[in-house]
Amino acid sequence: MPALLERLRATVAERRASGEYPPDLEADLDAHFRRIIASRAQMPRLATLHRRIEEARRASRFSPDRIPTSTRLPGGAVLHKGMSRLFLRQAIGILDQVKEFADRTLEALDAAAAVAESPDTHHHADLVELVDAHSELLAGRLSTAAPAADDLQALALRVEMLEHEVAERRWRPWFGRNRFDAVFDRGERDRLRRAASAALDGRTPVLCVEVAAGASPLATLATTADASLGAVVAVSVEDTLSAQQMVDLIAMAFEKLSPEGRLVLSRGTAPSAPSPEPQSEPSTPSEPSAPLRPTFDPTLGPSLPARYAVFVCREAGFSTVDCEEWSPDGYLVVATR
Amino acid sequence: MRIDQVVVSASPGDAITNFALTLRQLLLPDARSDVFAYYYDERLASEIVPLSEYGARPGARKDRDLLVLHVSIGEPAVADFVLKRPERLVIIYHNISPSEPFRPYDPGFADLLDAGRDELKRLRPRAELVLADSEYNACELRDLGFEQVDVLPIVANVEDLRDTEADAALAERLRTHHDGPVILFVGQLLPHKRADFLIEAFHILSTYRMRDANLVLVGSHRLPGYAGALQSQIEELHLDRATLAGSVSKPMLAAYMRRADLFVTASEHEGFCVPLLEAMAFDLPFQARRFTAIPETAGDAGLILDADDGPAVAAEAWAQLLTDEPLRKTLVERGRVRLAAFEPAVTKQAWRQALLGLARLA
């Protein structure tokens, strides 16, 4: 085992050195989680409140059986038991009233805790004032350094596009489409090619850098003259290239494309056959809902591979980059020089 | 003869509660034994007696009866109660978690943990027998000034879980919805168990090494603040194949264990680690970290990372354990051998003899 551990550590060191792992990967992840914790700094008080309520709930068990009848005095236990039988009806009546009061009190405490936990259900005048102050400050800054109208229009268009993307993504199934297609082999690669061809919009000449046996997409591109291509199409190359090679491929494609030339990257399954929506997924009445709730929420944002490809294209210098997502890790990216 | 037991808190599925109930059953032929709790879950009302009713039982015999206190957290009211009782005191130490990881989430709970160690010092002069379920726990007690501490192997009863029929609906969903390998963690989601480390390692694994891998974290969300932070971590890292499964029933746990390909834990504090034995019982290779009683529990049956190995090394280890068949086979075989050391018939007898032996010394 020690030898295996040493080998694993060496492999990780190699991945870091080769650039496969970004520098400071673990430190960034650690900082990310610490930021999440810091944003929840108000939680301890709520946790204490919840714990105290639970303690009160556990203590709210009322029964005549819990009234001790034992005593060290001779014959005392018999006397106590006799007395408790005699006044049992009264004792139960009192306990019922106490229990009712305790139940109502616990409900009120639960409601108070829920209010404290959901800031959107109540109003904090102090926070509103703070937000107003910051808004005024921001408005002041914007008025002194107003961006050009074109920039604002581009920003508005971008926001509109993102809103449209989010709206489109809302009911897209989080599971399945890749998996179903892979299982039934519905000609995924052909559909990817068709989708990529449609995005070329008549540009020529076209260089396809699909990964074939023994062929390297980077080597294929490297032999082409700069600014000589109308389009570069790369279908599912990401599956076989490292992160650094993807960056190199996109940067090299930019060099090889003529002005207005297009780079088309596609991956995963293009939408064609209808796929089941999450709500139509077969289920049994007894199935547990919580344990299998997917933690991925498609409305939160695009999946990492697509975001990564879009980011790298922009960094490479492409003037417009459009992205259509097909599934959590399937996409079509069209970048125009 | 009475050998009554006291726990601070009793809840379904809690390891210490289960152990106290097992002990009660073991002692029954020779001694009456009720389990009393200061806090308890209503679902255990038929098994647990409120500590407030301790006085209602027949008067104790100072020379003969035993009071067994299970220590895993502090509670001043319980310590005060025990110190006033005339019975001979037995302490069973299950370990008290360190308070620091809890303080950002629940300072009140962290204070109780600190109080637990102070209470142990107060109880020390009264204890006639002190038992620990691992050598690590015994060392902690010795550091607190306890001179004589006996170590007894834990009564794990993992066969019970192994023989449980898996929840059919969950098993089917796991089969159809998790097409890649399943990496499983079982344990309460508490800060010192470092589920955040597991999520970081899974991020590295699923981004750079095995895109189809799945991570399932099974266990109750004792601290809503920490569990919420983990949920945010998963969402912000876009880990659509990581799931917080929450608290599950025994048949559901059996379904997860049967579907899993690898068991992992990043815990930095364990007085013992029963989930490792459960993994061995299901022939699951496992990865853990070199902290507290974990190496002692694991023996040579798992891949134990050093304390300073980060999530990237953990991810590399997971990829290795998921793909290296000879390594998996070796670890599974070692797990079977290790598990034999915790044969319930033997461990139960050891606990029974220790307690009855003291009682009969009267």
Side-chain angles (χ1 to χ4, degrees), chain A residues 35 44 61 66 267 281 295, chain B residues 40 53 104 177 211 236 242:
Chain A
R35 182 184 57 72
R61 179 172 165 262
R66 293 184 65 192
R267 183 175 184 277
E281 189 188 359
T295 48
Chain B
Y40 71 99
E53 292 175 26
H177 284 66
R211 288 190 171 200
E236 290 182 18

Side-chain angles (χ1 to χ4, degrees), chain B residues 62-265:
Chain B
K62 189 177 176 180
D63 56 339
R64 197 171 128 172
D65 293 346
L66 302 184
L67 190 161
V68 178
L69 176 65
H70 294 265
V71 178
S72 62
I73 192 173
E75 176 53 66
V78 173
D80 292 344
F81 167 84
V82 170
L83 284 168
K84 285 180 194 156
R85 293 301 308 176
E87 295 90 336
R88 303 165 76 193
L89 178 63
V90 177
I91 291 176
I92 298 179
Y93 184 55
H94 300 276
N95 199 276
I96 297 175
S97 300
S99 62
E100 294 76 29
F102 289 84
R103 204 158 291 285
Y105 304 95
D106 190 348
F109 190 75
D111 288 343
L112 284 179
L113 292 170
D114 283 339
R117 291 179 195 278
D118 294 335
E119 286 164 15
L120 271 173
K121 290 178 194 164
R122 286 169 60 207
L123 292 165
R124 189 179 61 206
R126 279 273 284 108
E128 289 194 32
L129 178 65
V130 183
L131 302 169
D133 48 23
S134 72
E135 189 53 44
Y136 175 80
N137 288 346
C139 283
E140 276 204 358
L141 289 176
R142 288 179 196 123
D143 287 346
L144 288 170
F146 287 83
E147 287 173 4
Q148 179 64 44
V149 183
D150 294 325
V151 179
L152 294 180
I154 201 161
V155 181
N157 274 338
V158 290
E159 288 78 4
D160 187 33
L161 176 63
R162 187 180 58 197
D163 298 338
T164 299
E165 195 169 335
D167 181 281
L170 177 60
E172 176 60 14
R173 289 200 57 148
L174 288 172
R175 194 181 65 76
T176 54
H177 284 66
H178 289 68
D179 46 357
V182 173
I183 301 162
L184 178 69
F185 163 81
V186 178
Q188 296 184 59
L189 292 188
L190 294 173
H192 65 283
K193 307 262 185 188
R194 294 298 312 275
D196 51 300
F197 180 100
L198 296 178
I199 292 168
E200 288 175 6
F202 180 69
H203 167 75
I204 296 171
L205 181 81
S206 61
T207 305
Y208 301 99
R209 302 297 316 281
M210 302 178 88
R211 288 190 171 200
D212 61 345
N214 302 276
L215 176 68
V216 181
L217 304 167
V218 173
S220 64
H221 302 179
R222 280 274 300 277
L223 290 177
Y226 183 63
L230 294 176
Q231 186 70 42
S232 298
Q233 188 187 20
I234 287 173
E235 286 171 356
E236 290 182 18
L237 292 174
H238 293 271
L239 300 176
D240 51 312
R241 285 173 176 265
T243 310
L244 298 183
S247 186
V248 301
S249 65
K250 199 188 276 189
M252 289 168 81
L253 180 56
Y256 280 117
M257 294 296 262
R258 293 212 172 95
R259 174 60 187 87
D261 299 286
L262 174 66
F263 185 91
V264 294
T265 174

Side-chain angles (χ1 to χ4, degrees), chain A:
Chain A
M1 286 300 160
L4 171 62
L5 280 174
E6 278 310 313
R7 208 171 70 231
L8 295 175
R9 288 175 194 130
T11 308
V12 169
E14 279 169 24
R15 292 187 199 286
R16 282 200 187 103
S18 70
E20 184 178 352
Y21 286 171
D24 303 325
L25 171 63
E26 288 169 302
D28 287 348
L29 285 169
D30 188 41
H32 172 243
F33 189 65
R34 273 190 278 113
R35 182 184 57 72
I36 293 172
I37 296 298
S39 70
R40 293 173 162 264
Q42 80 286 9
M43 289 306 287
R45 286 185 195 165
L46 285 176
T48 305
L49 176 63
H50 282 297
R51 192 160 47 77
R52 294 289 182 209
I53 294 173
E54 276 313 301
E55 286 171 12
R57 199 183 309 283
R58 288 191 196 115
S60 66
R61 179 172 165 262
F62 306 99
S63 162
D65 299 336
R66 293 184 65 192
I67 301 170
T69 55
S70 65
T71 169
R72 289 185 180 154
L73 295 174
V78 177
L79 181 67
H80 277 296
K81 280 178 186 163
M83 293 281 281
S84 64
R85 262 191 227 110
L86 201 60
F87 295 109
L88 184 61
R89 185 187 168 92
Q90 283 75 11
I92 289 174
I94 293 167
L95 289 175
D96 282 347
Q97 290 175 41
V98 174
K99 174 140 182 44
E100 192 182 344
F101 175 73
D103 289 345
R104 296 293 88 76
T105 306
L106 285 168
E107 283 170 15
L109 286 170
D110 284 337
V115 168
E117 204 159 17
S118 310
D120 55 335
T121 59
H122 58 284
H123 181 81
H124 281 277
D126 53 340
L127 289 180
V128 171
E129 283 171 14
L130 200 62
V131 171
D132 285 347
H134 280 286
S135 299
E136 282 176 22
L137 191 66
L138 189 61
R141 294 263 165 88
L142 285 173
S143 64
T144 54
D150 285 350
D151 291 347
L152 283 175
Q153 197 178 3
L155 183 64
L157 274 172
R158 179 71 187 138
V159 168
E160 201 176 305
M161 196 180 82
L162 286 171
E163 283 175 348
H164 178 71
E165 279 183 14
V166 170
E168 285 288 305
R169 199 176 299 122
R170 193 173 297 279
W171 291 107
R172 189 162 287 171
W174 61 273
F175 62 95
R177 186 169 277 149
N178 282 343
R179 186 166 57 78
F180 288 146
D181 285 349
V183 169
F184 296 110
D185 190 19
R186 298 180 192 166
E188 171 181 305
R189 190 163 285 268
D190 285 344
R191 280 205 306 283
L192 290 176
R193 283 203 195 95
R194 279 200 296 277
S197 301
L200 296 181
D201 199 19
R203 284 169 175 76
T204 55
V206 178
L207 178 66
C208 288
V209 291
E210 266 186 277
V211 178
S216 158
L218 283 163
T220 311
L221 259 180
T223 55
T224 313
D226 284 356
S228 64
L229 296 172
V232 174
V233 177
V235 176
S236 286
V237 292
E238 191 188 326
D239 293 334
T240 53
L241 296 183
S242 70
Q244 185 57 50
Q245 286 170 324
M246 273 296 283
V247 172
D248 293 342
L249 175 76
I250 291 170
M252 200 183 288
F254 183 81
E255 298 298 326
K256 305 299 177 189
L257 285 168
S258 55
E260 299 293 319
R262 273 194 176 164
L263 168 64
V264 180
L265 296 168
S266 72
R267 183 175 184 277
T269 306
S272 59
S275 295
E277 294 295 320
Q279 59 269 42
S280 66
E281 189 188 359
S283 62
T284 57
S286 61
E287 75 182 341
S289 56
L292 281 171
R293 188 177 73 79
T295 48
F296 174 74
D297 181 354
T299 61
L300 285 174
S303 56
L304 273 180
R307 291 176 78 186
Y308 179 69
V310 169
F311 171 77
V312 175
C313 287
R314 285 197 184 121
E315 290 295 304
F318 285 95
S319 58
T320 58
V321 184
D322 295 311
C323 175
E324 184 187 346
E325 286 189 70
W326 295 331
S327 65
D329 51 8
Y331 59 81
L332 175 75
V333 170
V334 180
T336 308
R337 186 170 171 175

